[in-house]
Amino acid sequence: MAGRLDAAPLTLGTAGHIDHGKTALIEALTGRNTDRLAEERRRGISIELGFAQLPLPDGRSLSVVDVPGHERFVRSMVAGATGIDLFLMAVAADDGVMPQTREHWAVLRALGVEEGVTALTKCDLVDAESRRRGAAEARQLIPGIPLVEVSAPTRQGLCALLETLAQVAARVASRRRQRPAWPYPQARLHVDRVFSLHGIGTVVTGTLWSGEIGRGDRVEILPVGKVARVRSVQVHDRPKESAEAGQRVALSLAGVGRRAIERGAVIASQDSGLRPTYRLDVELRLEPWAGEIAGKRVHVHHGTRATPARVVVLDETGELAQLRLEAPLIGRAGDRFVLRSIAKPDTLGGGAVLDPRPRRHGPGPATQRLKLIRDGEAEALLEAALRQSEDGLPENPRAWTSSELLAPALHRFPLDRWRAAEAALLASGRAVTAGDRLLAPAAREAGPRGPSLEERRRHALSARAQRALQILDEDGARPRDPRALADSLGLERREALVLLEELVEASRLVRLKPTVYYPRGHLDRLREEVLELIRERASISIAELRDELGTSRKYAQALLEHLDSTKETVRRGDRHVLRRHRPEAVPGGGTLGAGRQGSGGPAGLQSQ
Ligand SMILES: Nc1nc2c(ncn2[C@@H]2O[C@H](COP(=O)(O)OP(=O)(O)OP(=O)(O)O)[C@@H](O)[C@H]2O)c(=O)[nH]1
Ligand SMILES: [Mg+2]
């Protein structure tokens, strides 16, 4: 029994207005006062997130995140609430529902955390009538959730509260087991605290959203793109060999200084494919008071990060939007986020990410594709993606796996759904197979069946070269330099350079500079994106492009110089503009949105 319970680590987050007794209740339940800072103790309010462990009567143990209730610290509250599975909403019996009771509830709903318990606190201070009123207000705001009357100093109701939490936790855990497996097994942790400990070094903490992190693993710190080694792992102050998804984790990291990481950073396994993004295509769920949001500047909170962004509404109902972010976020399709207004701080609602790395676009065909993603239309999405992939023909015959075609929407489709969709397309002749891959029928007719012998020879890459290509492909818009690639492959730099040149020779990579080699698919997409940006705003500087692409100056400069050299753009002072007579666009750019997640380069050519 205990083993099964342990199989689903759950995190409980507190919520509620300032002074409504969240911290006192957690202390009464766990024996741990989570207000650690001197300032918190002096002022009697929570400022930072607090952490504790709560054993339940059925043997399960919950990680607890205690959040501050002050209206100025809602940002911390969101960061704390972001990895939780169930909530404990405190409503003081002598005060009833107050502004941050409402706001925290809006945050929880935006994050999709709708299971929990309401604790009517401070019941020792009021008479039965006030308790009844307080409970009625709480039930009206958060209907259908168990409510328990408690008092921290007298310990009234604490046993009942523990029992109720155990029931809710069991329900959440069983629902999680029934959910289709999360299709992204790689480790991802959104950092909520960073500190350095004497003799240990840099320590980060957070909830592990997915995957596993173990001692000795090499991890990437995003958005800065630094690599570090995990020196030790702790789960609830106990050393472990590794930590698993859902657990609250502390990692000590070697090879990276305290200053290189801040709250909001993401620690990810090196093969995560996660990249910082300056745009998110999303599905919105707004509160009734949100008002008109099109064109507005808002705060987007995702994981433990937040950034201002502009909202570009994509459809008539206002449910689909592109968020143009002022600072990068690191997200996956399916992630939840919270939107808050900037002028008058309030939570407007939130939603879910549909495509974490979209092109810059407005309403139009790209919106159609988003609707298919949102509605989980695996078959239509596969077909549309295949049809688009025909654009690359015949120079670049492309074959795809369904998971590549569905990439941004993969979380919406349990394995059997997209297998069924694949089967339906094949049965009706709307797709044909090429090895274990799918091809649009037109691709077959238009070109030879798969690559020619000469092409095959060209593409018969060594295993090492394939691995190099895969690594660079996963790096996306910021391919690592030859030295880092050599490190990743355990080679000398000189050997890595030979491999890179081999890949350039095979047309799989393009050398922009001696330190910048791009997979062709990524370069084609970036090229389109850059040209579109210049078309939109007439000219662009290196710094602007860096910000738009969420990349560094090195890559922005290399891209613009490349486009200058291919005579598509020309430099005027520190800006780059389009040449008037551009050569025709090069086909085969991999316009397929589904390829954005890093399948661009090699995906099309693996039919050997
Ligand atoms: N009498 C009584 N006092 C309580 C109870 N719970 C909390 N308090 C008191 O109320 C004050 C605020 O309690 P906290 O637990 O710090 O409230 P909080 O919700 O954590 O506040 P923030 O974190 O700042 O939002 C403290 O002085 C507590 O001692 C209760 O059940 N009964
Ligand atoms: Mg508190």
Side-chain angles (χ1 to χ4, degrees), residues 165-378:
L165 283 171
Q167 283 163 15
V168 176
R171 203 160 57 225
V172 172
S174 107
R175 204 162 289 168
R176 174 174 305 169
R177 273 195 294 275
Q178 285 157 19
R179 241 186 4 215
W182 182 240
Y184 308 112
Q186 300 90 352
R188 170 165 58 142
L189 179 146
H190 292 263
V191 173
D192 52 35
R193 282 189 304 160
V194 192
F195 45 90
S196 58
L197 284 182
H198 191 66
I200 293 182
T202 307
V203 178
V204 299
T205 69
T207 304
L208 191 56
W209 280 26
S210 62
E212 269 186 38
I213 291 190
R215 207 150 61 90
D217 285 358
R218 286 170 77 80
V219 290
E220 197 177 9
I221 299 154
L222 298 166
V224 289
K226 283 204 155 65
V227 173
R229 192 173 53 79
V230 177
R231 192 182 282 149
S232 66
V233 179
Q234 289 198 350
V235 177
H236 285 297
D237 302 332
R238 288 204 200 103
K240 296 263 172 179
E241 269 308 300
S242 67
E244 59 171 307
Q247 287 180 324
R248 262 211 70 77
V249 181
L251 303 174
S252 81
L253 298 176
V256 59
R258 155 78 186 84
R259 274 162 208 237
I261 314 180
E262 33 181 38
R263 169 190 281 191
V266 169
I267 310 287
S269 49
Q270 277 189 294
D271 64 345
S272 75
L274 284 167
R275 290 288 157 251
T277 178
Y278 278 75
R279 283 181 291 275
L280 293 173
D281 277 355
V282 301
E283 181 180 14
L284 292 177
R285 280 180 216 145
L286 299 178
E287 295 292 343
W289 59 80
E292 184 52 62
I293 199 172
K296 274 233 179 92
R297 200 163 165 259
V298 296
H299 272 303
V300 183
H301 298 248
H302 168 267
T304 50
R305 294 176 80 75
T307 171
R310 199 158 298 278
V311 182
V312 178
V313 169
L314 299 174
D315 69 334
E316 50 305 326
T317 62
E319 283 167 11
L320 296 175
Q322 181 163 88
L323 303 178
R324 307 237 171 109
L325 314 171
E326 290 175 22
L329 294 178
I330 299 118
R332 284 221 189 276
D335 285 355
R336 296 298 192 112
F337 61 88
V338 174
L339 290 188
R340 300 190 73 230
S341 61
I342 293 178
K344 179 179 154 292
D346 196 6
T347 294
L348 302 172
V353 174
L354 293 173
D355 188 341
R357 299 176 63 72
R359 274 190 315 117
R360 192 184 168 90
H361 68 85
T367 306
Q368 277 312 112
R369 178 174 153 274
L370 281 184
K371 285 187 179 157
L372 296 178
I373 295 177
R374 177 194 62 191
D375 300 338
E377 298 281 356

Side-chain angles (χ1 to χ4, degrees), residues 14 17-24 34-35 40 44-48 66-69:
T14 62
H17 196 71
I18 183 165
D19 258 356
H20 275 203
K22 298 176 287 297
T23 305
T34 54
D35 283 347
E40 293 183 312
I45 63 170
S46 302
I47 297 171
E48 286 288 342
D66 181 36
V67 307

Side-chain angles (χ1 to χ4, degrees), residues 293-595:
I293 199 172
K296 274 233 179 92
R297 200 163 165 259
V298 296
H299 272 303
V300 183
H301 298 248
H302 168 267
T304 50
R305 294 176 80 75
T307 171
R310 199 158 298 278
V311 182
V312 178
V313 169
L314 299 174
D315 69 334
E316 50 305 326
T317 62
E319 283 167 11
L320 296 175
Q322 181 163 88
L323 303 178
R324 307 237 171 109
L325 314 171
E326 290 175 22
L329 294 178
I330 299 118
R332 284 221 189 276
D335 285 355
R336 296 298 192 112
F337 61 88
V338 174
L339 290 188
R340 300 190 73 230
S341 61
I342 293 178
K344 179 179 154 292
D346 196 6
T347 294
L348 302 172
V353 174
L354 293 173
D355 188 341
R357 299 176 63 72
R359 274 190 315 117
R360 192 184 168 90
H361 68 85
T367 306
Q368 277 312 112
R369 178 174 153 274
L370 281 184
K371 285 187 179 157
L372 296 178
I373 295 177
R374 177 194 62 191
D375 300 338
E377 298 281 356
E379 205 176 309
L381 198 60
L382 266 181
E383 194 182 357
L386 269 181
R387 222 181 303 126
Q388 271 193 25
S389 71
E390 284 170 29
D391 297 348
L393 295 168
E395 288 83 351
N396 194 3
R398 282 182 177 265
W400 304 85
T401 64
S402 318
S403 59
E404 284 161 357
L405 290 166
L406 292 172
L410 211 54
H411 66 291
R412 301 240 154 184
F413 305 110
L415 196 65
D416 51 345
R417 278 278 301 288
W418 53 264
R419 289 260 179 263
E422 201 179 278
L425 285 192
L426 289 172
S428 59
R430 284 170 294 160
V432 292
T433 49
D436 59 350
R437 299 182 155 245
L438 293 183
L439 209 60
R444 267 278 155 88
E445 285 149 24
R449 302 194 159 219
S452 68
L453 190 63
E454 203 257 326
E455 266 179 320
R456 269 169 203 267
R457 209 168 283 144
R458 201 147 51 91
H459 297 309
L461 298 172
S462 66
R464 256 191 195 172
Q466 287 192 29
R467 178 73 192 121
L469 192 57
Q470 193 187 352
I471 289 174
L472 293 179
D473 203 44
E474 283 167 3
D475 285 346
R478 299 202 298 179
R480 66 194 71 186
D481 66 18
R483 184 176 299 282
L485 181 71
D487 283 349
S488 315
L489 293 168
L491 298 176
E492 293 294 318
R493 181 161 173 274
R494 194 174 30 82
E495 294 174 298
L497 281 173
V498 171
L499 276 187
L500 286 166
E501 286 306 320
E502 185 188 323
L503 287 161
V504 171
E505 184 69 13
S507 299
R508 308 292 284 263
L509 291 181
V510 181
R511 186 193 327 99
L512 267 53
K513 287 181 159 201
T515 55
V516 181
Y517 287 76
Y518 267 105
R520 186 165 282 284
H522 282 298
L523 183 63
D524 287 348
R525 266 198 302 280
L526 285 166
R527 169 187 162 278
E528 270 178 38
E529 211 165 311
V530 178
L531 294 178
E532 197 177 312
L533 279 167
I534 304 181
R535 248 173 254 131
E536 250 173 42
R537 45 168 87 184
S539 69
I540 202 161
S541 69
I542 293 174
E544 286 165 5
L545 183 64
R546 174 198 62 199
D547 293 344
E548 276 294 341
L549 296 180
T551 180
S552 70
R553 189 178 168 83
K554 172 173 114 173
Y555 297 105
Q557 183 176 1
L559 282 166
L560 284 173
E561 284 174 1
H562 172 70
L563 290 178
D564 287 350
S565 76
T566 56
K567 308 249 180 296
E568 292 176 275
T569 58
V570 60
R571 190 168 150 196
R572 301 241 185 281
D574 65 347
R575 307 192 68 80
H576 296 248
V577 298
L578 293 182
R579 277 205 187 235
R580 210 168 291 149
H581 300 293
R582 277 201 306 120
E584 277 300 294
V586 184
T591 48
L592 180 65

